[in-house]
Amino acid sequence: MSDEQNAEQKQFLQDGQQEQSQQQQIDEHTQQPKEDIQQKEDNQEKLEKKEEAVEQMKQDIGVKSDIEQQQEASETPEKIVQKEPESEIIKDENKIEGDQSKGQEDKSQVIEKSPETISSNLENLFLKADYTFPIEIKVCDPVQKGGGISTYIVYTIKGKDCFGEFETCRRFNEFYTIRELLLAKWPGQYIPPIPEKSVSTGTEIIIERTRLLNIFCMKMMQIKHLYYSEEFYDIFLRSTNPDINKQIAQIPKQNVFAYTERYKQAFQINEIKEITPEMIKKMSGVQSFLKLSQASLTKLLEQAKSLSSSRKQLKETFFTIFGLNISEYEKQVLQEWVPQNKLIFANPANAEILELAKKIRDPNNNSLDKIQDLISTEQRDIDAFIQAFQTRDSLMQSKQKAEQKLSEEQSDLYKIMKGNSTMKGSFSKLSLDEQKQKLELQLNETQKEVDQYKLLFQLVTDVLTSYTIDKFKKDKHQTYKSILADLAQCECQYLEIQQQFWFKVSETIKQNQEP
């Protein structure tokens, strides 16, 4: 019985849609002659105005020689009368046709690129940005502001891109807000991670967070469509608004059509591909690899933390011995038999040795922290990429909700076409015919939404498998080399300070030797 009712419902809806399409055809046929007649009348009126203008020009010819007056009166007006109106009519007709076609194009553009679809700022950035320009960006100089429970840290962000230099200050929660916004605007895309929120504002936490936020910006500059997005480039890096969280909250929410246009424009896609088994296999392999990597990285991070902690303890112990205790030993024991100018660490003339010992001790300059940063960033990267797969899957969930809505609207329309009232209609002041027309419009829009979710899901899958995964691997290798190169440079500088320390000690000893 249920199958018969569904078949009857579908047939009923098809009959109604067929009647509606026939009526639209009749309306179009009756409307076209009216438009042709109106266009002819407009052209005739323009021709009459041109002829009047020509006659007026004849009367306004200035005083010249008789020969010139005769030539201008007999030849020039004749040419104007015979040729100008004809050419002007053609121009006017072309202009009318051009205006009509332009109007249709403008109308289609309004539908395809309305404010909800994509902003002009974003459009201009994508078109004007030079993706080959080497971007420079750095997070530095954390400063504590406020007081009491309102204390917060502000980080300076400065750099240079193809549009020029920039410098701004941002709080941590603004980093968090911009990332959440990018997640919402770019479903299925990897968005670089940031460190976790923390209530503590201790020195070590601030220093570590500065390093990790710097890595976030470094990764953002590698992904050009994210860097030059309106949200990151226009608002996060260059907005002068003191509260960009409020500015971000005022950005209109985008729909599925806007997401599709954004993807097409950013990745220059004209044709959306069907999802293939190869795409599914590639995504499945990457997800399995990422999940397996999490366990090994957890163990490696603990070792890196232990190594970094040992280095800090070693530096403190070194300074305690050579910056403090040795000097006290010389004062209390050796100074009874040796003149002060012959001492090494307790001699004020050798203050440079103490300064070098302080540099070796500097707790803010522990290069082994970079190994810890590298591994912790790897962990966050895995979570962020898995998050990209999750936001892709959420598109399918949104499609299913739209399909459920479509089914409910079809059921309501069937009831109305049978002459029955719906649950929503019982509270409406509209007649059944008006409710029917309204539901038909809603059905059409919901069907478009369902179809668009399908296309967007295909589009995101295509970009994910043909671009994002490969770029993620390439950038990860680049980031790995960059952090190791930075570590190597810092270690060389650290060893150079140690070398200077021991060279100064050795030189002082030679100078104090008895002849």
Side-chain angles (χ1 to χ4, degrees), residues 256-257 402 405 445-454:
V256 62
F257 300 95
K405 180 184 175 184
E445 292 301 316
T446 306
Q447 183 62 60
K448 288 180 182 178
E449 187 178 353
V450 170
D451 295 339
Q452 197 68 23
Y453 268 118
K454 180 182 176 182

Side-chain angles (χ1 to χ4, degrees), residues 195-209:
E196 295 79 10
K197 288 184 175 182
S198 175
V199 180
S200 174
T201 55
T203 303
E204 288 191 9
I205 295 292
I206 294 172
I207 293 172
E208 179 185 18
R209 182 172 280 183

Side-chain angles (χ1 to χ4, degrees), residues 2-14 414:
S2 174
D3 294 338
E4 293 177 1
Q5 187 175 1
N6 289 337
E8 183 182 357
Q9 180 177 347
K10 289 181 180 178
Q11 184 61 38
F12 203 91
L13 290 171
Q14 289 175 359
Y414 175 74

Side-chain angles (χ1 to χ4, degrees), residues 103 164 235 241 304 375 400-401 404 408 416 473:
I235 298 177
N241 192 321
I375 299 169
Q400 291 171 352
K401 289 180 181 179
Q404 177 64 31
E408 292 172 357
I416 291 175
K473 292 177 180 178

Side-chain angles (χ1 to χ4, degrees), residues 406-420:
L406 182 66
S407 177
E408 292 172 357
E409 289 173 349
Q410 287 174 338
S411 178
D412 287 345
L413 181 60
Y414 175 74
K415 290 178 182 178
I416 291 175
M417 295 177 77
K418 281 289 189 180
N420 300 324

